[in-house]
Amino acid sequence: MHTCFAEIIRKLTGRLLFPKHLEKLRAKHVFAAREKVERMPQTPPFAAMFDSSGYNRNLYQSKEDGCGGLYYHDNNLLSGSLEALIQHLVPSVDYYPDRTYIFTFLLSSRLFMHPYELMAKVCHLCIEQQRLSEPGQDKNRIRKIAPKILQLLTEWTETFPYDFRDERMMRNLKELAQRITSGDEMYRKNVQQLLQNLLRKLATVSQYEEVLAKINATSTDRLTVLKTKPQSIQRDIITVCNDPYTLAQQLTHIELERLNYIGPEEFVQAFVQKDPLDNDKSCYGDRKKSRNLEAYVEWFNRLSYLVATEICMPVKKKHRARVIEYFIDVARECFNIGNFNSLMAIISGMNMSPVSRLKKTWAKVKTAKFDILEHQMDPSSNFYNYRTALRGATQRSLTAHSNREKIVIPFFSLLIKDIYFLNEGCANRLPNGHVNFEKFWELAKQVSEFMSWKQVECPFERDRKILQYLLTIPVFSDDALYLASYESESPENHIEKDRWKTLRSTLLGRV
């Protein structure tokens, strides 16, 4: 069953208070690569791909568009027919598309056609336009065009490797690569390298998904474990890791690993719908689920429930207060690291009703630090405080000299919401049938920023014992959390008393 973005947002933000009216995001910005490069350049880092100065069609280009199906304003590509945009993607002897264009079109084209359909068209154009199929083909011409076609294929396979889990994609890729190598042996090594890198990436992601499946299969309700094991011999987070700074580092390990496996296309794939110009036919029915994006959603929810479980579990009030203060320190360290997702998950867990109702416990907690953190993540004014902090972390990342300073892990549900509302707020097509490319520049800008964040290697040492605890220890369900909360601090009114009785009866088999 395909999970749409609205469902993903609900999963992520079910317990978080968001402003009723998020500001309308308008796709008014277009941007350019940072510098002109005379020779065919290698793929630049994502941070360098976009800036606010406007996309310039002259970068790396000399192909005459003659505005044939493409509409520009002040050298900024604003819209075009789908066919013209596909043509614009394909290199020729004296032309190579701007990399911001390559990324933007490969990202957004899946709203109109399946990637394998685009690959088939690209292969056809490469063969036709560059006359690769002619018996008496000009070797010099092939030598000029082949490296450019290879470069385009390299960019596609490196940035959107998950597209090639489709056998049709792989077949087209191999066929085009074969034509290039048959024209000149000197490219055989490059083609082999490209295919090896791609297969290695796909094998790695398959292994990662298997590990996730195993973790999910073993997850059980903490209450089940409590019934078989007395609380006195249950492990808790502080016995596993008594240093909040170390725990924040291990949380950052998990965040960066899960971020790293999210493909940029997953943000777009989740809201692929019907193309109105395609006879009401869905763009593609066999679209891949956004597995890795969903795994990240599940991690956020798990961390929130883990925090609530650890707080509600101790029998003694002073132990519960100690756990709350511990998580406040962990959250503060996450903020300092730039790990905003774990920070928000922790705050979310501490704000869950079974935790927030423990008034006697909270009375023993020094809450000044927690108040500061809540202020930073305050949802008012469309998360103004958080967005300011995120900009600061992003700035630090751009000028960083170490991986430690490069870490930016965004509050993920808000990133998804921004992308979701950008997509919903602007039409994919203009009234004349043109693709609204101005919208897709903005979409690509947001996703490319995420791409630069996810590529940071975690600088902290891994602690297997702590990681295993965070990822696999059972957590309470909603009902079990409420039961533990009522057992710790008695119900205050008739509604809570009735609920307590029901939970004791259904979960513990007691009256």
Side-chain angles (χ1 to χ4, degrees):
M1 189 73 177
H2 180 70
T3 304
C4 71
F5 247 151
E7 289 168 336
I8 291 170
I9 291 168
R10 278 200 297 277
K11 279 186 194 175
L12 263 150
T13 62
R15 297 183 313 281
L16 300 175
L17 177 63
F18 276 86
K20 286 180 183 174
H21 304 288
L22 274 176
E23 64 185 0
K24 269 198 175 180
L25 296 170
R26 293 172 300 167
K28 292 261 176 172
H29 305 294
V30 282
F31 8 87
R34 290 189 182 279
E35 56 187 355
K36 185 171 181 177
V37 182
E38 293 305 325
R39 63 182 179 79
M40 188 179 68
Q42 295 302 301
T43 311
F46 277 95
M49 279 178 63
F50 293 86
D51 63 25
S52 58
S53 59
Y55 165 71
N56 187 326
R57 67 167 166 166
N58 297 320
L59 296 181
Y60 320 142
Q61 304 176 40
S62 56
K63 182 182 183 181
E64 268 307 309
D65 302 302
C67 290
L70 297 178
Y71 174 70
Y72 290 90
H73 182 66
D74 291 340
N75 270 350
N76 298 325
L77 176 57
L78 300 186
S79 70
S81 68
L82 192 54
E83 287 304 315
L85 291 168
I86 295 170
Q87 286 268 4
H88 199 57
L89 181 70
V90 178
S92 66
V93 171
D94 54 1
Y95 163 79
Y96 189 77
D98 183 284
R99 15 304 316 283
T100 55
Y101 177 79
I102 295 171
F103 178 71
T104 303
F105 186 67
L106 291 180
L107 178 71
S108 58
S109 61
R110 63 201 68 235
L111 288 167
F112 305 98
M113 57 170 46
H114 195 291
Y116 86 83
E117 293 174 308
L118 176 62
M119 175 60 96
K121 284 178 181 285
V122 167
C123 289
H124 175 73
L125 285 170
C126 284
I127 293 163
E128 285 295 304
Q129 289 183 15
Q130 315 330 325
R131 301 197 294 275
L132 291 182
S133 55
E134 288 184 17
Q137 54 195 316
D138 179 355
K139 285 271 179 163
N140 280 335
R141 181 181 175 82
I142 297 302
R143 281 189 175 157
K144 282 180 182 174
I145 186 61
K148 293 184 178 182
I149 295 174
L150 265 177
Q151 176 64 17
L152 179 66
L153 296 178
T154 301
E155 294 205 36
W156 197 336
T157 55
E158 284 182 357
T159 313
F160 299 94
Y162 301 168
D163 284 351
F164 295 87
R165 297 177 103 172
D166 186 311
E167 284 176 20
R168 295 165 296 190
M169 285 289 288
M170 198 61 97
R171 198 162 52 239
N172 277 326
L173 173 67
K174 286 177 177 173
E175 186 185 323
L176 185 54
Q178 178 63 37
R179 285 182 179 275
I180 292 169
T181 53
S182 64
D184 200 320
E185 280 296 311
M186 67 185 285
Y187 300 119
R188 188 174 292 280
K189 259 190 188 170
N190 305 63
V191 167
Q192 283 175 344
Q193 190 65 51
L194 182 152
L195 291 171
Q196 281 169 8
N197 289 343
L198 175 59
L199 292 171
R200 191 162 50 241
K201 277 191 179 184
L202 294 181
T204 305
V205 77
S206 294
Q207 287 165 3
Y208 166 74
E209 287 169 358
E210 283 170 23
V211 169
L212 284 185
K214 281 178 189 169
I215 289 172
N216 292 338
T218 57
S219 64
T220 54
D221 185 347
R222 186 70 167 252
L223 193 65
T224 314
V225 181
L226 278 178
K227 285 179 182 175
T228 57
K229 216 189 258 187
Q231 278 203 359
S232 55
I233 57 169
Q234 286 269 322
R235 284 185 306 162
D236 66 10
I237 192 74
I238 297 178
T239 59
V240 173
C241 175
N242 63 6
D243 177 23
Y245 187 57
T246 302
L247 192 78
Q249 291 181 341
Q250 299 310 304
L251 288 171
T252 304
H253 259 296
I254 295 169
E255 297 279 357
L256 285 173
E257 180 182 56
R258 298 209 171 192
L259 272 187
N260 185 48
Y261 282 102
I262 297 172
E265 73 283 356
E266 293 192 49
F267 290 100
V268 175
Q269 219 124 272
F271 46 68
V272 168
Q273 291 165 353
K274 290 177 180 176
D275 185 347
L277 294 192
D278 199 16
N279 300 321
D280 244 16
K281 189 183 83 173
S282 173
C283 294
Y284 48 98
D286 59 340
R287 58 200 169 193
K288 177 180 81 68
K289 275 184 72 176
S290 307
R291 295 191 200 99
N292 303 303
L293 192 146
E294 287 173 34
Y296 198 43
V297 169
E298 285 156 14
W299 158 247
F300 180 94
N301 289 332
R302 173 180 169 77
L303 181 53
S304 295
Y305 275 84
L306 176 64
V307 168
T309 299
E310 294 287 341
I311 294 169
C312 290
M313 205 172 51
V315 176
K316 293 186 178 176
K317 188 166 44 185
K318 67 175 182 182
H319 289 170
R320 292 195 298 274
R322 185 177 163 223
V323 175
I324 289 174
E325 288 183 339
Y326 172 83
F327 275 118
I328 291 170
D329 287 338
V330 174
R332 188 176 61 168
E333 294 302 342
C334 286
F335 181 84
N336 292 338
I337 288 170
N339 179 356
F340 298 107
N341 202 55
S342 287
L343 164 64
M344 192 47 132
I346 292 168
I347 290 175
S348 171
M350 293 169 89
N351 279 324
M352 288 174 75
S353 298
V355 177
S356 61
R357 69 168 295 280
L358 299 171
K359 294 184 176 64
K360 292 172 187 172
T361 303
W362 280 97
K364 289 189 149 316
V365 176
K366 295 170 187 169
T367 57
K369 288 186 284 188
F370 185 59
D371 294 340
I372 292 168
L373 290 170
E374 279 207 304
H375 177 70
Q376 285 292 345
M377 305 305 279
D378 179 7
S380 60
S381 302
N382 194 14
F383 284 86
Y384 177 81
N385 295 342
Y386 158 70
R387 290 183 190 276
T388 304
L390 180 68
R391 274 197 302 274
T394 303
Q395 211 47 49
R396 178 188 70 187
S397 176
L398 291 174
T399 57
H401 299 295
S402 67
N403 276 346
R404 166 68 185 79
E405 295 171 308
K406 285 181 187 172
I407 296 171
V408 181
I409 300 169
F411 171 29
F412 199 59
S413 66
L414 198 57
L415 176 68
I416 290 178
K417 271 205 156 183
D418 286 348
I419 292 171
Y420 177 76
F421 280 101
L422 169 61
N423 182 65
E424 289 295 299
C426 305
N428 290 339
R429 297 238 191 212
L430 300 177
N432 66 355
H434 270 204
V435 172
N436 180 6
F437 216 73
E438 194 177 8
K439 164 184 174 173
F440 296 125
W441 286 126
E442 184 63 25
L443 180 67
K445 185 182 180 184
Q446 291 197 21
V447 175
S448 72
E449 193 168 42
F450 162 81
M451 293 289 284
S452 65
W453 295 335
K454 84 175 191 133
Q455 287 169 353
V456 175
E457 281 187 39
C458 191
F460 309 123
E461 198 176 327
R462 292 173 71 90
D463 187 310
R464 287 191 166 206
K465 185 179 68 169
I466 299 171
L467 289 171
Q468 187 177 11
Y469 185 91
L470 289 169
L471 290 168
T472 62
I473 197 73
V475 297
F476 283 154
S477 63
D478 280 310
D479 284 347
L481 277 175
Y482 272 107
L483 178 60
S485 180
Y486 294 142
E487 296 282 330
S488 298
E489 293 187 21
S490 301
E492 292 183 345
N493 54 48
H494 288 302
I495 294 169
E496 286 192 345
K497 279 178 185 169
D498 289 344
R499 186 168 191 185
W500 186 26
K501 284 177 189 171
T502 305
L503 291 173
R504 282 176 71 87
S505 171
T506 54
L507 298 180
L508 298 179
R510 297 179 195 160
V511 179

